[in-house]
Amino acid sequence: METAKRLLSVQNLCVDYLTPTGIFHAVRNVSLDIGQNEILGLAGESGCGKSTIAFSILRMHRPPAFISDGKILFEGEDVLAFSRRRLEAWRWSEASMVFQSAMNSLNPVLTVFEQFRDMLARHEKLGRDAARAKAGEMLAMVGISEDRLDSFPHQLSGGMRQRVVLAMALTLRPRLIVMDEPTTALDVVVQREILQEIVALRKTLGFSVLFITHDLALMAQFADRIAIMLEGRIVEEGEARSLVAEPQHEYTRKLWAAMPRIEGAAA
């Protein structure tokens, strides 16, 4: 990928975990690029290192995890070299994250508006009225009524909670959104609705996406390119259509063959 078109470049990333029996190598020399206004899908079985990469990009790891080698370049700047102040300013304003479980991401004792307000107060120093107007605008963008600003997370459906998290991730107009299995535990209709909203919003706002899932069939419908992970390594990467039509790695073929099909044998 041409440097001018590259938003994020992960180079030879290694992430390890300290365990009672020694060091576990969770991510092993992973390299990947995400272009401007591109959706890169990252697929693989549970435990292969997908979420570890996501947390590494935004430097959200806590011990016993640590990045032992590699670089994470955002428009040429090494995220791993950011000071704490620079990192806090960069998160959410330039790169944000949608976590796997919206119920776990949202504070159960704060209303939707209070959670928007905390973020906006930290990054944009908005007053209460301005913050409420901004939060209402963002909810409307993802198809939720402004009336829901005074709701607590438990008063929303799973799909609505996921939309709230998506709206919060988009509020500061970041260039990159990392989505770690954002539709897990949602029914297939709601999954499709949310993913269609992500695609439509990307066209409007021009952000890039790292979309992480174990569902290759779902990813193939929305991603521009797909990378396949196995045991901490990327074993195949390519354009979504090409990778689905002619997978080169044996694991990719098995992963695709494991996907359920609607069609069956003729009667």
Side-chain angles (χ1 to χ4, degrees):
M1 183 180 297
E2 296 178 19
T3 302
K5 297 180 180 180
R6 188 181 299 141
L7 178 67
L8 181 81
S9 180
V10 176
Q11 301 177 0
N12 302 312
L13 181 67
C14 297
V15 185
D16 301 330
Y17 287 81
L18 291 174
T19 73
T21 57
I23 295 177
F24 173 70
H25 304 294
V27 173
R28 310 178 186 189
N29 292 306
V30 164
S31 296
L32 57 85
D33 293 332
I34 302 177
Q36 306 279 354
N37 197 31
E38 179 183 42
I39 298 179
L40 173 66
L42 184 60
E45 62 192 10
S46 297
C48 70
K50 304 185 302 297
S51 295
T52 298
I53 290 176
F55 276 76
S56 297
I57 289 172
L58 274 84
R59 281 181 55 185
M60 288 185 170
H61 277 309
R62 297 290 184 270
F66 65 98
I67 296 172
S68 57
D69 201 2
K71 292 182 178 181
I72 299 173
L73 303 178
F74 185 86
E75 293 191 314
E77 287 188 90
D78 190 352
V79 176
L80 301 183
F82 283 176
S83 66
R84 181 175 178 179
R85 186 172 183 177
R86 172 73 177 103
L87 182 63
E88 289 179 352
W90 177 76
R91 288 179 184 153
W92 311 116
S93 62
E94 297 179 66
S96 63
M97 187 165 178
V98 176
F99 296 93
Q100 184 170 345
S101 172
M103 196 61 195
N104 293 335
S105 303
L106 296 170
N107 190 322
V109 300
L110 295 179
T111 65
V112 170
F113 169 61
E114 288 171 327
Q115 298 187 57
F116 268 98
R117 188 185 180 195
D118 284 349
M119 176 183 62
L120 289 168
R122 175 178 292 272
H123 287 275
E124 294 193 345
K125 312 299 182 185
L126 295 182
R128 183 179 181 85
D129 291 344
R132 189 174 183 88
K134 182 70 172 179
E137 174 191 333
M138 296 309 300
L139 286 189
M141 187 177 290
V142 296
I144 297 179
S145 170
E146 184 180 351
D147 296 342
R148 286 298 190 173
L149 282 172
D150 296 316
S151 298
F152 290 91
H154 72 273
Q155 296 174 312
L156 307 176
S157 68
M160 292 177 73
R161 287 195 295 266
Q162 202 64 50
R163 286 185 173 92
V164 168
V165 173
L166 175 60
M168 293 181 69
L170 291 170
T171 297
L172 301 178
R173 299 293 196 271
R175 305 284 305 284
L176 172 69
I177 301 180
V178 178
M179 297 185 173
D180 187 9
E181 303 204 32
T183 58
T184 296
L186 300 178
D187 66 63
V188 292
V189 174
V190 177
Q191 280 185 4
R192 176 168 289 276
E193 288 176 351
I194 290 177
L195 291 174
Q196 287 174 339
E197 285 179 1
I198 292 168
V199 171
L201 289 167
R202 179 189 66 146
K203 291 180 180 178
T204 302
L205 302 177
F207 54 82
S208 300
V209 178
L210 175 60
F211 183 75
I212 296 172
T213 184
H214 62 274
D215 189 338
L216 184 57
L218 182 67
M219 178 179 293
Q221 300 176 54
F222 298 95
D224 299 306
R225 291 186 301 116
I226 295 175
I228 303 296
M229 282 198 73
L230 175 65
E231 297 179 351
R233 302 180 188 274
I234 291 180
V235 295
E236 185 170 359
E237 182 180 354
E239 297 294 326
R241 290 184 180 180
S242 299
L243 188 141
V244 169
E246 298 181 8
Q248 300 300 306
H249 195 277
E250 180 183 3
Y251 176 70
T252 309
R253 292 194 291 269
K254 289 181 178 179
L255 196 63
W256 184 244
M259 295 295 107
R261 301 289 194 271
I262 295 177
E263 69 273 10

